[in-house]
Amino acid sequence: PNKLGGVTALVMSIAILFLMPLLHTNQSQGLQFYPLNQILFWYMVITIILLTWIGARPVETPYILTGQILTVLYFSYYILNPIISKFWDNLLNN
């Protein structure tokens, strides 16, 4: 409901996509060696589909909370993905 918060979230959601290649420090390039990240990838796909659906809904009580929760889940992917990749790299190296 806050316009400034919505614009900030929109800019951050686009900016984070440009920053991801710069932050990529995995030892392997593909996800085939990271099974937890494969699960996290499908979690992200479902979150994007649900965010697209919730964006088409009217701004009413159940949809506002659902959109806020899905937004937190969207941004948490970009926090969890590098952490799990580093954990998996350390697990494979030791």
Side-chain angles (χ1 to χ4, degrees):
N2 184 355
K3 288 190 184 259
L4 180 61
V7 170
T8 304
L10 177 67
V11 169
M12 290 304 296
S13 67
I14 301 299
I16 203 164
L17 295 175
F18 286 110
L19 291 175
M20 283 306 288
L22 302 174
L23 300 174
H24 181 74
T25 59
N26 296 351
Q27 292 178 354
S28 298
Q29 291 295 322
L31 282 180
Q32 65 267 25
F33 301 112
Y34 299 101
L36 294 175
N37 290 68
Q38 290 175 358
I39 295 168
L40 203 60
F41 169 78
W42 289 110
Y43 148 85
M44 181 63 168
V45 169
I46 292 169
T47 302
I48 290 173
I49 291 170
L50 289 174
L51 274 170
T52 303
W53 173 76
I54 207 74
R57 302 288 118 212
V59 181
E60 294 177 354
T61 303
Y63 302 125
I64 293 172
L65 181 63
T66 306
Q68 290 172 345
I69 291 170
L70 288 171
T71 302
V72 169
L73 292 176
Y74 174 82
F75 285 109
S76 69
Y77 169 80
Y78 295 106
I79 295 169
L80 291 175
N81 192 31
I83 292 171
I84 292 176
S85 296
K86 295 260 188 238
F87 169 75
W88 201 254
D89 283 340
N90 289 338
L91 187 67
L92 291 177
N93 287 336
N94 293 332

